[in-house]
């Protein structure tokens, strides 16, 4: 029997649940003995000129070994993300100007951790405040510049120079549009950022850090510090969540490495929650203008998406992500004419990077809102409108107007499955009855249809599999699990070929000396790249073993097969004949295979979600009653891990729709920088989810696997937002921006009531 | 998130605690459950030189019937209020309110004395004690005095308590089976464990408001209307009178006013058994 597709319990958990994980801040590695503790003095202002920095008093404070300002570092400001305006460089420690609340201005190194904050308070910095640029439209006017010498706030433009098609909506009976906000979110992983660095006598630096991609972090640290990358060794201890915000190095990591060099001591740093809420990359942050046109028969003909996106103060990956949004703009629909563009501007806020979904939830949210507006305008059921516009199954592979090739899809079927599981028709009847009766609790239904892109960054991944003489197996992977369960999943894939029980298989990752090549875990890529690579490596190892066994067993390679019960090579159809175990082969000669799997393409998982919400008409409070999810990511390797990914994603998706938003006041002060203020969800805000199965394999890899890590955030968010609006549709409400807080829902009801008067 | 250094003392009696407070004056701060004090110390918004921990003083840990009142030791944890059998029969409003405070961790640490002393207008228990017409018992080396809760609060985070005084007891009138007009608590939050955007505690026709001004407030206009025989609907419509609700990311003052009226109506309806 195959182990693939079975509900194997996570092998990672016993340690996590008993001894606990070892995060970067927990490390007791002897190389870090005597490490100094870094405390960063961060800017309390969003935009200001620095007129003086006085560190003398801090230098005299107990336990202080050194205090550095930008001038002491000997490092030039750096382009953190080469895909954006190259003039927008980030200083390691701000010297002339600060550009967001939380920007590091001085670095204090102390013997003891607790001495740091006391000394940091003694660093005196004089600021001359400048007007803060927070609003995206204000940023786009370039009236106040973040980088005066650059002359613009535009960090990147995607299709902005293309002439908008004037005739886009020609022949459309109905054209509707809206300006909508895909709000800024905080990733808020439970483990905040942390790094530790130590230089060896060989002139190499070892950096321990919390990250989703050891090799990428190594390359960035090397590039930023002007080091040959062979001189940087990155090790990732256990990582307590990332959600995209831990892709690649953060400037703080490189700073830790540099300070270890300057001070000639190991240095370690771990940020507080408050620091994390302003210092760590945030996500989304797009202002979108959607316009959709089509016929009263329900056929959509044309769609336009104009994006104004936030890069934060210093452009990072977020300057690129709107390109993903453009790519996925038409979603699951066969739309004749598409027009999209994105401008990305800098503002006096925390930098924007990837957050679970990274560009795709923004695309789905936009097109799904557009579909709802269109449906409302022509008076058709929103589910019907979707079904009448989705790409037909016989059209795959389908080259979308977004310029990508969807590998496989059965979109209408996914919608039908979700509607059926939800009992859509009965729910509509119930909704009508409640409205009729004037119930205090209104019912709202939201349907979303989605297609996303997984493994969209790096299509290839490395793996190595080795069987040891004692029968145990080591798998090395270039992926970088931080909660996903690769130790279990990759062991299953190796075990499938070798027959070695998963308890005897160790999966290692996140050490760039051990595994120099790899692209990490992000963009829902791991299984379809790294997992398939492990599967391939184990398969190749079997072939190698057969070649060696052929001689020993005096048999033809073609007559050999694996006896999984014994993890051995045997002669096919000859019970009792000679056999040799993998372990025995390894005893004779190292039995190891290195391989690269290159799928050469991303895949396009899809699905449909239905949300059922109740809205308290008097207070505006929304309760999610049900969330039905059809998530088709191809065959399922391990239903436990698969559903776990869906649960987490759906929770975050619902939370974007209802609760979460990073808010700044007009001066750039963050108003949501603690967990008391930021709308982080708990289980109490969520229903139990109805997960519906659907599996359409992708042709791009032999196992048919696609990614599911982000699907939940992509499908559930628009379904829930849509359901909230739908609950109020009979009052004339057409749109409410996310998060659909009680305040916003109540205000929408008030406005609708005034309009009706 | 590391506080400024401080000295720590854990006196073994209330008298010893009072002596320490008297000796150190403004430089000292009382620590009870720590769930309001420690967050502000970690943010370095408070930096006491001496922290006097009264959290383990069993002297302050009781809930008992005392004449016409129930006397609650200031050190009683929210959880103890929540599950108290005495309160369940004598003052059922209080356990119901305590149950809504934060999450289980908060309820197992935080104390009723700390909650009342901290004087955060967004706290639930002060408004409940206000609706109950409770008394705050204060003790200092100079002696003991009882202050009606209606006269206890003077503003955000401020009370009539003198720096050398400790809240030792909270007294609330017993009602038990005699509750004439019932009781109810309505707390409106975004998330289950959140602080109230607005809360309304109703008992015997008295109405306490959470987060509708700089102190916990009574909806006096509503109470007067009820006393005059107005309908619940009409009386509740006056619940925001003489309030000054704050603005924050969760609510505008206008929205809070609206919520106060809706929640007051609901609480009064529940209290009247409707
Ligand atoms: C995550 C979280 C959620 C919360 N949610 C809620 C909520 O929903 N509703 C709510 O009402 N509260 C909430 N709280 C606050 C909680 O109820 C606190 O426990 C309470 O406000 C303070 O009680 P404490 O015993 O912890 O006081 P401490 O934090 O120890 O002290 C608070 C202040 O009171 C003083 N003090 C304490 N005891 C005495 C005394 N006997 N005499 C004189 N002065 C004293 C201290 O010196 C200090 O200034 C929450 C707290 C947290 C951390």
């Amino acid at each position: 029997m195959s182990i693939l597709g079975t509900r194997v319990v996570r092998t990672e958990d016993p340690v996590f649940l008993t001894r606990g994980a070892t995060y970067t801040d927990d490390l007791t590695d002897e190389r870090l003995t005597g490490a100094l503790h870094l405390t960063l003095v961060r800017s309390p202002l969003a935009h200001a000129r620095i007129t003086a920095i006085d560190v003398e008093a801090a230098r005299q404070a107990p336990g202080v070994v050194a205090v550095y300002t930008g001038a002491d570092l000997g490092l030039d400001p750096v382009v953190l993300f080469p895909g954006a305006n190259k003039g927008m460089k980030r200083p390691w420690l701000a010297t002339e100007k600060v550009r967001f609340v939380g920007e590091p201005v001085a670095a204090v190194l102390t013997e003891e951790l607790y001495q740091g904050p006391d000394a940091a308070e003694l660093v005196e910095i004089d600021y001359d405040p400048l007007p803060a640029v927070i609003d995206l439209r204000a940023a786009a006017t370039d009236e106040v510049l973040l980088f005066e010498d650059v002359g613009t706030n535009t960090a990147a433009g995607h299709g902005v120079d293309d002439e908008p098609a004037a005739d886009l909506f020609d022949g459309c009976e109905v054209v509707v549009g809206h300006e909508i906000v895909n709000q800024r979110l905080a990733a808020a992983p439970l483990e905040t950022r942390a790094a530790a660095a130590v230089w060896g006598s060989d002139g190499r630096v070892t950096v321990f850090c919390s990250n989703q991609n050891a090799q990428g972090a190594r390359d960035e640290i090397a590039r930023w510090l002007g080091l040959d990358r062979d001189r940087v060794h990155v090790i990732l201890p256990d990582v307590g969540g990332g959600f995209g915000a831990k892709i690649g190095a953060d400037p703080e990591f490189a700073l830790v490495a540099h300070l270890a060099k300057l001070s000639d001591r190991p240095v370690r740093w771990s940020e507080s929650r408050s620091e994390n809420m302003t210092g760590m990359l945030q996500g989304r942050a797009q202002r979108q203008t959607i316009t959709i046109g089509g016929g009263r028969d329900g056929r959509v003909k044309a769609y336009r998406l104009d994006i104004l996106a936030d890069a934060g103060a210093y452009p990072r990956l977020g300057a690129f992500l709107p390109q993903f949004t453009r790519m996925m703009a038409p979603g699951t629909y066969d739309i004749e004419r598409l027009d999209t563009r994105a401008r990305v501007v800098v503002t006096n806020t925390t930098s924007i990077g990837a957050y679970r979904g990274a560009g795709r939830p923004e695309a789905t949210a936009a097109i799904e809102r557009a579909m709802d507006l269109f449906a409302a305008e022509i008076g058709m059921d929103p589910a019907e409108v979707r079904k009448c516009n989705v790409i037909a199954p016989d059209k795959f592979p389908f080259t979308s107007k977004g310029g990508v090739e969807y590998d496989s899809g059965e979109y209408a079927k996914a919608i039908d499955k979700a509607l059926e599981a939800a009992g859509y028709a009965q729910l509509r009847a119930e909704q009508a009855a409640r409205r009729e009766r004037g119930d205090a609790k209104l019912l709202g239904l939201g349907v979303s249809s989605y297609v996303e892109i997984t493994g969209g960054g790096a299509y290839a991944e490395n793996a190595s599999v080795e069987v040891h003489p004692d029968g145990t197996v080591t798998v090395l992977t270039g992926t970088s699990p931080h909660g996903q369960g690769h130790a279990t999943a990759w062991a299953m894939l190796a075990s499938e070929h070798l027959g070695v029980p998963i308890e005897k298989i160790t999966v290692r990752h996140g050490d760039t000396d051990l595994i120099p090549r790899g692209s990490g875990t992000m963009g829902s890529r791991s299984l379809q790249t790294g997992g398939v690579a492990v599967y391939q490596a184990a398969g190749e190892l079997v072939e190698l073993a057969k070649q060696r066994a052929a001689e020993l067993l005096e048999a033809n390679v073609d007559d050999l097969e694996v006896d999984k019960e014994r993890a051995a090579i045997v002669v096919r159809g000859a019970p009792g004949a000679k056999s040799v175990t993998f372990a025995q082969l390894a005893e004779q000669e190292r039995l190891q295979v290195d391989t690269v799997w290159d799928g050469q393409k991303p895949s396009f998982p899809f699905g449909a979600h239905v949300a059922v919400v109740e809205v308290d008409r008097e207070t505006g409070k929304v309760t999610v009653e049900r969330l039905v999810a059809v998530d088709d990511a191809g065959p399922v390797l391990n239903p436990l891990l698969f559903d776990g990914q869906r649960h987490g994603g759906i929770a975050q998706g619902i939370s974007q729709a209802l609760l979460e938003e990073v808010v700044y006041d007009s001066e750039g002060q963050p108003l949501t920088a603690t967990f008391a203020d930021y709308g982080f969800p708990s289980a109490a805000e969520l229903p139990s989810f109805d997960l519906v199965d659907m599996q359409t394999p992708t042709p791009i890899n032999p196992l048919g696997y696609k990614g599911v890590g982000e699907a939940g955030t992509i499908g559930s968010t628009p379904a829930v937002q849509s359901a909230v609006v739908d609950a109020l549709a009979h009052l004339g409400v057409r749109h409410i921006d996310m998060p659909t807080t009680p305040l916003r829902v109540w205000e929408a009801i008030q406005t609708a009531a005034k309009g009706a008067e | 998130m590391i506080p400024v250094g401080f000295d720590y003392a854990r006196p073994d009696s209330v008298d010893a605690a009072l002596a320490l407070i008297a000796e150190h004056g403004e430089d000292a701060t009382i620590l009870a459950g720590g769930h309001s004090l420690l967050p502000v110390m970690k943010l370095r918004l408070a930096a006491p030189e001496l922290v006097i921990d009264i959290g383990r003083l069993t002297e302050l840990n009781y809930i008992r019937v005392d004449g016409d009142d129930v006397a609650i030791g200031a050190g009683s944890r929210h959880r103890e209020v929540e599950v108290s059998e005495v309160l369940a029969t004598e003052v059922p409003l209080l356990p119901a309110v305590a149950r809504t405070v934060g999450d289980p961790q908060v309820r197992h640490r935080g104390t009723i004395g700390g909650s009342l002393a901290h004087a955060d207008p967004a706290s639930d228990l002060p408004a409940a004690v206000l609706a109950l017409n409770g008394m705050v018992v204060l003790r200092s080396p100079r002696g003991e005095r009882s202050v009606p809760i209606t006269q206890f609060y003077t503003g955000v985070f401020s009370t009539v308590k003198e720096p050398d005084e400790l809240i030792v007891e909270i007294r609330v009138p017993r009602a038990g089976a005699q509750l004439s007009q019932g009781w109810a608590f309505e707390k409106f939050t975004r998330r289950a464990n959140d602080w109230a955007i607005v809360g309304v505690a109703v008992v015997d026709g008295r109405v306490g408001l959470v987060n509708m001004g700089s102190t916990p407030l009574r909806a006096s206009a509503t109470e007067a209307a009820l006393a005059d025989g107005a309908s619940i609907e009409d009386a509740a419509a006056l619940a925001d009178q003489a309030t000054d609700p704050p603005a924050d990311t969760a609510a505008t003052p206008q929205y809070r006013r609206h919520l106060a009226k809706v929640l007051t109506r609901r609480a009064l309806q529940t209290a009247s058994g409707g």
Side-chain angles (χ1 to χ4, degrees):
Chain A
M1 201 194 100
S2 172
I3 193 172
L4 306 186
T6 63
R7 216 174 166 82
V8 175
V9 173
R10 283 163 47 101
T11 56
E12 295 83 340
D13 288 342
V15 167
F16 288 158
L17 295 174
T18 54
R19 190 204 71 200
T22 304
Y23 301 113
T24 299
D25 197 39
D26 302 324
L27 284 175
T28 50
D29 193 290
E30 63 182 19
R31 285 167 283 188
L32 296 174
T33 307
L36 298 172
H37 295 269
L38 168 64
T39 304
L40 290 164
V41 181
R42 294 178 178 275
S43 170
L45 298 177
H47 200 193
R49 230 169 273 293
I50 298 172
T51 54
I53 306 180
D54 184 351
V55 300
E56 278 320 307
R59 284 201 171 120
Q60 306 310 318
V64 172
V65 174
V67 181
Y68 296 95
T69 66
D72 309 322
L73 293 178
L75 287 177
D76 289 331
V78 71
V79 176
L80 292 176
F81 178 68
N85 191 312
K86 297 220 175 32
M88 296 175 172
K89 294 181 183 165
R90 173 152 164 172
W92 295 94
L93 294 170
T95 48
E96 287 160 26
K97 229 180 134 165
V98 288
R99 296 185 176 87
F100 70 99
V101 171
E103 178 163 6
V105 186
V108 178
L109 294 180
T110 52
E111 294 286 355
E112 301 293 334
L113 173 63
Y114 274 40
Q115 293 162 337
D118 288 340
E121 267 191 352
L122 300 174
V123 173
E124 283 204 28
I125 305 165
D126 293 338
Y127 295 102
D128 197 356
L130 295 165
V133 187
I134 304 302
D135 181 78
L136 293 177
R137 289 160 302 190
T141 65
D142 288 338
E143 258 165 47
V144 177
L145 294 171
L146 269 74
F147 300 86
E148 288 87 351
D149 47 341
V150 175
T152 174
N153 286 328
T154 297
H158 306 287
V160 277
D161 299 327
D162 305 350
E163 268 305 302
D167 53 358
L168 193 74
F169 295 100
D170 280 6
C172 293
E173 284 174 279
V174 174
V175 179
V176 274
H178 217 289
E179 209 177 308
I180 65 179
V181 174
N182 206 288
Q183 80 272 29
R184 177 187 283 256
L185 301 177
L190 286 185
E191 186 207 9
T192 56
R193 294 176 301 163
V198 55
W199 289 78
S201 50
D202 55 359
R204 297 181 79 224
V205 63
T206 302
V207 181
F208 302 86
C209 57
S210 179
N211 209 255
Q212 300 175 220
N213 178 11
Q215 295 80 10
R218 171 199 59 197
D219 295 353
E220 279 179 321
I221 291 168
R223 179 169 66 78
W224 295 342
L225 295 180
L227 296 170
D228 189 352
R229 77 173 186 194
D230 296 342
R231 289 180 61 202
V232 181
H233 178 194
V234 167
I235 299 175
L236 309 183
D238 288 328
V239 176
F243 309 109
K246 288 183 184 168
I247 297 176
D250 265 354
E252 281 91 340
F253 297 0
L255 183 64
V256 167
H258 188 65
L259 293 174
K261 174 109 191 162
L262 293 185
S263 62
D264 204 20
R265 294 267 297 268
V267 171
R268 58 198 307 170
W269 169 75
S270 171
E271 69 183 349
S272 68
R273 179 61 62 190
S274 309
E275 265 183 297
N276 178 265
M277 292 298 281
T278 54
M280 177 179 244
L281 289 172
Q282 299 179 339
R284 310 273 193 270
Q286 293 188 5
R287 178 171 278 278
Q288 306 169 324
T289 308
I290 50 178
T291 321
I292 190 166
R296 295 206 170 269
D297 59 354
R299 277 293 298 164
V300 171
K301 287 206 176 70
Y303 173 55
R304 171 172 286 153
L305 173 62
D306 285 309
I307 301 167
L308 187 55
D310 203 339
Y314 297 99
R316 301 282 299 272
L317 188 59
F320 164 77
L321 292 175
Q323 186 64 2
F324 263 163
T325 310
R326 293 181 68 213
M327 214 180 257
M328 299 311 294
T332 54
Y333 307 109
D334 197 350
I335 300 177
E336 244 171 75
R337 300 192 294 264
L338 175 76
D339 181 45
T340 67
R341 63 188 51 70
R343 179 184 299 281
V344 188
V345 293
V346 286
T347 58
N348 292 115
T349 60
T350 298
S351 292
I352 294 291
Y355 173 69
R356 204 167 193 168
R360 295 101 82 205
E362 296 89 321
T364 310
I367 186 69
E368 292 303 278
R369 286 279 64 230
M371 281 290 164
D372 280 347
L373 290 170
F374 183 70
E377 194 65 25
I378 63 171
M380 200 166 172
D381 184 273
E384 264 326 295
V385 170
R386 283 168 171 82
K387 277 166 61 182
C388 109
N389 285 288
V390 291
I391 301 157
D394 58 6
K395 292 202 173 173
F396 290 86
F398 177 88
T399 302
S400 84
K401 287 286 184 300
V404 284
E405 191 189 273
Y406 297 168
D407 55 345
S408 54
E410 286 227 48
Y411 304 150
K413 187 170 153 195
I415 296 174
D416 280 336
K417 269 177 170 276
L419 295 177
E420 194 191 295
Y424 190 71
Q426 297 93 296
L427 287 166
R428 280 282 174 221
E430 160 81 12
Q431 176 183 53
R434 288 197 194 191
R435 285 176 181 170
E436 186 77 14
R437 289 196 301 264
D439 282 9
K441 297 275 174 71
L442 295 164
L443 200 67
L445 309 179
V447 182
S448 78
S449 166
Y450 75 88
V451 54
E452 61 139 335
I453 178 169
T454 65
Y459 309 139
E461 192 49 88
N462 303 269
S464 123
V465 175
E466 175 167 12
V467 181
H468 305 288
D470 64 358
T472 62
V473 174
T474 301
V475 173
L476 304 183
T477 177
T479 63
S480 199
H482 44 285
Q484 292 80 358
H486 295 181
T488 307
W490 288 193
M492 289 169 73
L493 288 161
S495 177
E496 175 68 5
H497 276 300
L498 306 175
V500 176
I502 60 164
E503 299 77 29
K504 289 190 168 181
I505 303 177
T506 304
V507 177
R508 300 193 61 186
H509 59 88
D511 180 325
T512 60
D513 277 9
L514 189 66
I515 306 158
R517 287 180 306 154
S519 298
T521 288
M522 62 196 72
S524 305
R525 68 182 294 274
S526 295
L527 179 56
Q528 76 188 63
T529 58
V532 175
V534 169
Y535 183 76
Q536 172 172 297
E540 288 174 8
L541 187 130
V542 167
E543 290 314 308
L544 176 65
K546 278 184 185 168
Q547 311 239 324
R548 295 200 195 152
E551 248 170 76
L552 278 173
L553 303 178
E554 295 169 337
N556 209 317
V557 171
D558 295 339
D559 294 334
L560 299 178
E561 66 180 9
V562 176
D563 175 353
K564 287 209 212 170
E565 292 281 296
R566 291 190 296 145
I569 303 286
V570 298
V571 181
R572 184 179 301 113
K578 278 199 293 180
S579 68
V580 60
T581 64
F582 290 113
Q584 286 164 339
L585 290 169
E587 221 164 281
Q588 292 178 354
E589 188 186 347
R590 190 167 181 211
L591 188 57
Q592 190 258 2
V593 158
D594 265 319
T595 200
V596 177
W597 156 257
D598 188 351
Q600 299 188 359
K601 292 178 183 178
S603 76
F604 293 84
F606 63 92
H609 287 201
V610 173
V612 183
V613 305
E614 264 187 8
V615 177
D616 181 330
R617 217 172 39 179
E618 278 186 308
T619 63
K621 181 153 174 160
V622 177
T623 316
V624 181
E625 294 294 316
R626 291 181 64 195
L627 194 292
V628 180
V630 177
D631 297 307
D632 187 330
V636 173
L637 168 60
N638 179 337
L640 191 72
L641 300 179
F642 187 76
D643 289 351
Q645 288 297 316
R646 294 166 82 188
H647 282 165
I650 293 169
Q652 281 172 288
I654 292 176
S655 193
Q656 169 166 23
L658 296 186
L659 292 166
E660 292 183 49
E661 180 171 30
V662 173
V663 184
Y664 291 91
D665 72 11
S666 60
E667 277 158 23
Q669 288 298 325
L671 303 179
T672 49
T674 71
F675 276 178
D677 301 307
Y678 187 71
F680 207 44
S682 75
E685 281 70 55
L686 304 166
S688 260
F689 309 134
D690 298 335
L691 304 182
V692 181
D693 279 342
M694 180 162 168
Q695 303 185 3
T696 309
T698 173
I700 71 161
N701 68 61
L703 293 164
Y705 293 150
K706 314 176 192 181
V708 74
E710 295 155 295
T713 60
I714 296 166
S716 68
T717 308
V720 173
Q721 183 183 18
S722 192
V724 175
V725 177
D726 180 67
L728 310 176
H730 63 303
L731 306 174
V733 174
R734 289 281 175 274
H735 176 76
I736 301 173
D737 268 328
M738 299 186 292
T740 54
T741 58
L743 170 63
R744 284 195 180 152
V745 172
W746 177 74
E747 284 178 342
I749 296 170
Q750 300 304 301
T751 311
K754 280 205 193 90
E757 270 165 23
Chain B
M1 297 303 269
I2 295 172
V4 178
F6 56 87
D7 288 330
Y8 173 81
R10 203 168 73 216
D12 54 12
S13 68
V14 169
D15 286 341
L18 290 172
L20 270 176
I21 303 171
E23 184 186 337
H24 293 272
E26 303 259 302
D27 297 337
T29 297
I30 296 293
L31 173 77
H35 269 53
S36 291
L37 179 63
L38 296 184
V40 289
M41 284 175 65
K42 284 182 164 191
L43 291 169
R44 296 187 165 229
L45 298 172
E49 282 173 22
L50 174 67
V51 168
I52 303 169
D53 186 352
I54 60 163
R56 298 192 207 179
L57 291 182
T58 44
E59 267 180 84
L60 293 177
N61 211 323
Y62 56 85
I63 299 175
R64 60 178 171 242
V65 171
D66 186 1
D68 289 339
D69 293 337
V70 175
I72 305 168
S76 306
R77 312 280 170 181
H78 304 327
R79 172 70 182 168
E80 288 162 340
V81 171
E82 184 184 339
V83 298
S84 159
E85 282 176 23
V86 172
L87 288 172
T89 45
E90 302 292 345
V91 196
L93 173 69
L94 272 189
V97 173
R99 192 168 302 131
T100 71
V101 172
D103 51 44
Q105 291 93 319
V106 174
R107 296 198 287 276
H108 279 268
R109 299 297 307 174
T111 65
I112 188 166
S115 185
L116 263 58
H118 192 57
D120 182 339
S123 287
D124 302 306
L125 287 161
V129 175
L130 186 65
L132 285 161
N133 264 343
M135 297 284 260
V136 181
V137 183
L138 301 164
R139 197 187 299 165
S140 73
R142 295 170 285 123
E144 202 169 277
R145 60 172 176 144
S146 290
V147 180
I149 185 122
T150 46
Q151 292 161 28
F152 187 65
Y153 291 105
T154 52
V156 181
F157 304 131
S158 66
T159 70
V160 299
K161 186 182 83 62
E162 297 292 338
D164 66 346
E165 282 178 318
L166 202 60
I167 300 182
V168 287
E169 191 174 276
I170 290 89
R171 301 180 72 88
V172 284
R174 291 171 68 179
Q178 301 145 37
L179 273 185
S180 50
Q181 295 169 56
W183 61 274
F185 185 57
E186 287 282 337
K187 178 172 177 176
F188 190 79
T189 60
R190 285 180 65 189
R191 297 172 295 181
N193 295 335
D194 270 338
W195 293 82
I197 294 176
V198 173
V200 177
V202 160
V203 62
D204 285 342
R206 294 184 302 272
V207 182
L209 301 174
V210 179
N211 217 2
M212 286 296 290
S214 57
T215 65
L217 295 172
R218 287 270 284 270
S220 309
T222 298
E223 293 178 7
L226 285 172
D228 285 349
S231 69
I232 285 177
E233 281 73 17
D234 290 348
L238 306 173
D240 69 321
Q241 285 200 3
T243 64
D244 183 17
D248 53 32
T249 53
T252 57
Q254 202 190 358
Y255 181 49
R256 280 202 164 85
R257 286 178 183 279
H258 167 75
L259 287 175
K261 294 186 241 181
V262 172
L263 300 178
T264 298
R265 192 198 72 227
R266 290 181 183 177
L268 288 171
Q269 278 165 346
T270 308
S272 72

